[in-house]
Amino acid sequence: MLLRVPNVLSAEEAARMRARLEAAQWSDGRVTAGHQSAQEKRNEQLPEDAEDAKVLGAAVLAALQKNALFFAAALPRRVYPPLFNRYAGGMDFGSHVDNAIRYHPPSGERFRTDLSATLFLAPPEDYDGGELVVEDTYGVQRVKLPAGDMVLYPGTSRHRVTPVTRGARIASFFWIESLVREDAQRALLFDLDVSIQQLTREAPGSSALVALTGCYHNLLRMWADA
């Protein structure tokens, strides 16, 4: 399931974050790439141990904590501390699949990458190119979102970033280890959750609401890896 999550950050919050990142010290993005990905990756990245990365990453996590749509879709168990990257001057990232397990050096923890996320921080009119191209079960999806919006997609997806030919594409990216490993199961739970929320608004006293809520929690109980 590929899902747009709007307004994770407001336009003003994204602008403040972008301003701090524009003054940051970037490094070669291949530092965190696996063997295959390093051959396709041409971008800049904020070092994980940089103070800017820690402060801004914490701000992204705080914003996610308040986002109900993110929680409904991802069912997060753990979120890899957000990273930040920059594409400019023809930089791109060729077709690849993210590593199944990501090691986080500062904590020594390993995260299973059930979901990948890109939070756009630069307005789309500020740069040319830089689309995130994701191949999923419905074909090829091209994603370029307003600053503050995020896209979630399965970590198993092959994806790439097209060359940035004008301006700079600045974004945060990270991975989510979900309570539910399988994308198809998460998608069913998400659809059920959305229907329950709609029924709650339209028919709060309906007996069907109790039954659907029970189904949701029993499926979650069956599938969750808690």
Side-chain angles (χ1 to χ4, degrees):
M1 179 177 68
L2 186 150
L3 179 70
R4 174 181 176 178
V5 183
N7 302 314
V8 173
L9 299 174
S10 69
E12 294 76 16
E13 289 170 330
R16 287 195 296 270
M17 193 170 288
R18 188 169 66 253
R20 182 162 180 169
L21 288 168
E22 286 171 348
Q25 296 295 315
W26 298 91
S27 62
D28 190 327
R30 288 175 293 182
V31 171
T32 58
H35 175 72
Q36 183 270 330
S37 295
Q39 301 174 57
E40 301 291 336
K41 190 175 187 180
R42 290 165 289 275
N43 68 3
E44 296 175 319
Q45 190 166 306
L46 206 59
E48 287 189 68
D49 58 356
E51 185 63 21
D52 287 331
K54 295 176 184 177
V55 171
L56 297 179
V60 171
L61 290 175
L64 293 175
Q65 286 284 341
K66 298 182 289 186
N67 194 288
L69 182 59
F70 166 72
F71 269 83
L75 295 171
R77 182 181 185 183
R78 297 189 298 169
V79 178
Y80 191 97
L83 302 171
F84 298 87
N85 59 20
R86 180 180 183 274
Y87 292 79
M91 292 178 180
D92 68 342
F93 198 162
S95 184
H96 65 286
V97 175
D98 292 335
N99 291 349
I101 304 295
R102 297 289 310 194
Y103 174 68
H104 183 239
S107 67
E109 293 185 272
R110 287 177 169 78
F111 293 72
R112 190 179 67 242
T113 59
D114 299 319
L115 288 151
S116 299
T118 297
L119 172 60
F120 289 79
L121 298 174
E125 62 271 18
D126 281 8
Y127 60 99
D128 292 335
E131 291 92 353
L132 173 65
V133 181
V134 182
E135 299 178 27
D136 68 7
T137 54
Y138 299 101
V140 176
Q141 312 291 322
R142 303 178 73 89
V143 184
K144 187 175 180 178
L145 300 179
D149 285 10
M150 182 176 73
V151 62
L152 281 174
Y153 57 98
T156 54
S157 303
R158 181 177 295 182
H159 56 284
R160 59 189 172 91
V161 177
T162 64
V164 173
T165 57
R166 178 187 65 86
R169 175 196 193 267
I170 299 174
S172 176
F173 66 102
F174 49 93
W175 301 272
I176 299 99
E177 182 178 300
S178 178
L179 290 167
V180 177
R181 293 188 184 215
E182 295 297 325
D183 179 60
Q185 293 173 345
R186 285 195 306 273
L188 284 171
L189 287 167
F190 177 69
D191 288 344
L192 188 53
D193 192 2
V194 170
S195 297
I196 290 169
Q197 292 181 44
Q198 181 179 353
L199 191 57
T200 300
R201 292 189 299 270
E202 297 176 357
S206 172
S207 60
L209 182 59
V210 177
L212 284 175
T213 302
C215 286
Y216 175 88
H217 285 287
N218 286 332
L219 286 173
L220 182 59
R221 186 176 290 110
M222 183 186 302
W223 293 335
D225 179 23

